[in-house]
Amino acid sequence: HIDHTHYFHVNFQSGELILIRPVEELMNGTTKIELNINTTHDWIHMTTIKVMVHIIDDRHPLISFSQADYYTTVSRTIPIGSRITELTIENLLDNCTYHIHSAERIKSKNLFRIDPNSGSITNIQPLGKSMSQKHLLTIIHRCESLSQIAYARLHINIVDEETPKNQTDYSYRFSQDNYLVIFETSLIKNQKKYLIDLELISNDHDEQRIKPDAQIIEGDPLGLFSIDSSNQSILLLDESRSRSYTYPIELVIIDVSQIKPIFCIVTIFISNIGLQF
């Protein structure tokens, strides 16, 4: 018997259902899963909803987006109906449409619209009212004649029209495009562990180095990792929870200290995999 609660996690803020273990383990047993999820507004009265998960073998997809992640930056003052970006699909077929499948924050979904035929993203609300500077949308492309669905993530960064005083021009890059972290962990509760320091290098002079204004935007749905604002180090917040993930994991990091955001990937491994619980 498979305990499906070990494979899925619900984001308490957005309500998004997240897969946290390899789907291949589930495919060996079944292709349809029924999940009962409790919802509440006061932690006293509970309502149970039923979610049916249908697993499709799309390891050789007929349709796919040209890239897994799209990044775009827009001004907070753009008018309603402005074109923000356009997603493109490989091997475009007939009778296929684009949809916004989910959003990291519930209110994000009410700000944007995607044209079902062209994949063009526009804003349907003034972005000046948005309390959040960053939005993450999951976009799907579905074809009526196929059982497969293509997925892509759209990262939207909203900036003020005037460049903030603490921002520089697009003249720095991360010291590495891809960082590799291998760390040992313990079962001590609430013990933090520093993993790596992030640093920016000037594109013109390699000896010029500064600290970024970095944020984790993807790869940590359980919120186990954070960035220390004082020294821009990545840290694990609680060593005892580190094995909630199946490793390696990849964190997508963004630096917002420049006019145009830059990104890097941090791949994390645990070295003492044989630790017994």
Side-chain angles (χ1 to χ4, degrees), residues 75-205:
S75 169
R76 188 179 296 276
T77 60
I78 62 173
I80 296 176
S82 298
R83 179 183 176 277
I84 295 175
T85 190
E86 185 171 312
L87 280 63
T88 55
I89 200 79
E90 301 287 346
N91 305 322
L92 190 62
L93 302 174
D94 295 332
N95 300 320
C96 300
T97 52
Y98 297 89
H99 304 273
I100 297 178
H101 176 263
S102 61
E104 185 178 39
R105 297 179 177 88
I106 295 176
K107 293 183 178 180
S108 299
K109 203 170 183 180
N110 298 326
L111 290 176
F112 306 100
R113 174 188 179 273
I114 187 168
D115 186 290
N117 299 313
S118 67
S120 177
I121 300 286
T122 56
N123 63 308
I124 56 176
Q125 297 286 343
L127 299 183
K129 296 181 179 180
S130 173
M131 298 298 292
S132 176
Q133 186 182 14
K134 304 182 185 304
H135 300 270
L136 174 58
L137 305 177
T138 299
I139 310 299
I140 64 172
H141 187 71
R142 179 189 294 119
C143 300
E144 294 182 0
S145 58
L146 298 174
S147 61
Q148 295 176 336
I149 299 176
Y151 290 85
R153 293 175 293 271
L154 174 60
H155 306 260
I156 301 174
N157 185 39
I158 300 176
V159 297
D160 296 329
E161 190 167 318
E162 295 184 358
T163 303
K165 293 182 180 179
N166 64 339
Q167 284 194 329
T168 63
D169 57 12
Y170 193 28
S171 57
Y172 286 85
R173 68 185 187 277
F174 279 102
S175 58
Q176 298 181 44
D177 292 330
N178 295 277
Y179 294 86
L180 176 63
V181 177
I182 303 175
F183 74 98
E184 294 183 356
T185 186
S186 69
L187 300 179
I188 302 176
K189 291 185 178 181
N190 300 317
Q191 177 166 294
K192 296 181 180 180
K193 188 178 187 70
Y194 284 85
L195 301 181
I196 191 173
D197 293 331
L198 298 174
E199 193 175 45
L200 299 182
I201 299 178
S202 170
N203 290 325
D204 299 320
H205 305 283

Side-chain angles (χ1 to χ4, degrees), residues 2-277:
I2 298 177
D3 186 351
H4 297 131
T5 60
H6 292 168
Y7 291 83
F8 296 95
H9 168 74
V10 176
N11 186 311
F12 293 139
Q13 293 181 333
S14 67
E16 186 176 14
L17 183 65
I18 302 168
L19 180 69
I20 59 175
R21 292 173 65 90
V23 70
E24 288 81 3
E25 298 178 15
L26 291 173
M27 292 177 61
N28 294 331
T30 181
T31 59
K32 291 184 179 180
I33 298 171
E34 179 180 312
L35 299 175
N36 293 315
I37 299 175
N38 294 323
T39 63
T40 182
H41 296 289
D42 54 15
W43 296 101
I44 298 176
H45 303 91
M46 295 285 182
T47 301
T48 301
I49 61 174
K50 183 182 296 184
V51 176
M52 298 298 299
V53 179
H54 187 196
I55 301 176
I56 300 173
D57 187 356
D58 60 351
R59 285 171 289 189
H60 303 286
L62 297 177
I63 56 172
S64 61
F65 283 94
S66 56
Q67 57 196 77
D69 290 87
Y70 294 79
Y71 298 90
T72 187
T73 300
V74 296
S75 169
R76 188 179 296 276
T77 60
I78 62 173
I80 296 176
S82 298
R83 179 183 176 277
I84 295 175
T85 190
E86 185 171 312
L87 280 63
T88 55
I89 200 79
E90 301 287 346
N91 305 322
L92 190 62
L93 302 174
D94 295 332
N95 300 320
C96 300
T97 52
Y98 297 89
H99 304 273
I100 297 178
H101 176 263
S102 61
E104 185 178 39
R105 297 179 177 88
I106 295 176
K107 293 183 178 180
S108 299
K109 203 170 183 180
N110 298 326
L111 290 176
F112 306 100
R113 174 188 179 273
I114 187 168
D115 186 290
N117 299 313
S118 67
S120 177
I121 300 286
T122 56
N123 63 308
I124 56 176
Q125 297 286 343
L127 299 183
K129 296 181 179 180
S130 173
M131 298 298 292
S132 176
Q133 186 182 14
K134 304 182 185 304
H135 300 270
L136 174 58
L137 305 177
T138 299
I139 310 299
I140 64 172
H141 187 71
R142 179 189 294 119
C143 300
E144 294 182 0
S145 58
L146 298 174
S147 61
Q148 295 176 336
I149 299 176
Y151 290 85
R153 293 175 293 271
L154 174 60
H155 306 260
I156 301 174
N157 185 39
I158 300 176
V159 297
D160 296 329
E161 190 167 318
E162 295 184 358
T163 303
K165 293 182 180 179
N166 64 339
Q167 284 194 329
T168 63
D169 57 12
Y170 193 28
S171 57
Y172 286 85
R173 68 185 187 277
F174 279 102
S175 58
Q176 298 181 44
D177 292 330
N178 295 277
Y179 294 86
L180 176 63
V181 177
I182 303 175
F183 74 98
E184 294 183 356
T185 186
S186 69
L187 300 179
I188 302 176
K189 291 185 178 181
N190 300 317
Q191 177 166 294
K192 296 181 180 180
K193 188 178 187 70
Y194 284 85
L195 301 181
I196 191 173
D197 293 331
L198 298 174
E199 193 175 45
L200 299 182
I201 299 178
S202 170
N203 290 325
D204 299 320
H205 305 283
D206 285 349
E207 66 275 10
Q208 294 183 4
R209 301 185 176 221
I210 63 173
K211 289 294 184 181
D213 183 4
Q215 300 173 15
I216 300 172
I217 62 173
E218 188 179 332
D220 182 26
L222 301 182
L224 300 187
F225 298 89
S226 180
I227 294 180
D228 189 326
S229 59
S230 64
N231 56 17
Q232 295 298 300
S233 298
I234 298 179
L235 66 151
L236 175 65
L237 297 175
D238 185 350
E239 286 197 38
S240 67
R241 299 180 59 211
S242 62
R243 295 179 181 276
S244 300
Y245 289 133
T246 299
Y247 292 85
I249 64 170
E250 290 187 349
L251 304 180
V252 180
I253 310 295
I254 183 174
D255 166 60
V256 296
S257 65
Q258 305 180 84
I259 296 175
K260 294 183 179 180
I262 58 174
F263 304 88
C264 71
I265 302 294
V266 179
T267 303
I268 300 177
F269 291 83
I270 289 183
S271 63
N272 54 350
I273 297 298
L275 182 66
Q276 298 297 317
F277 288 87

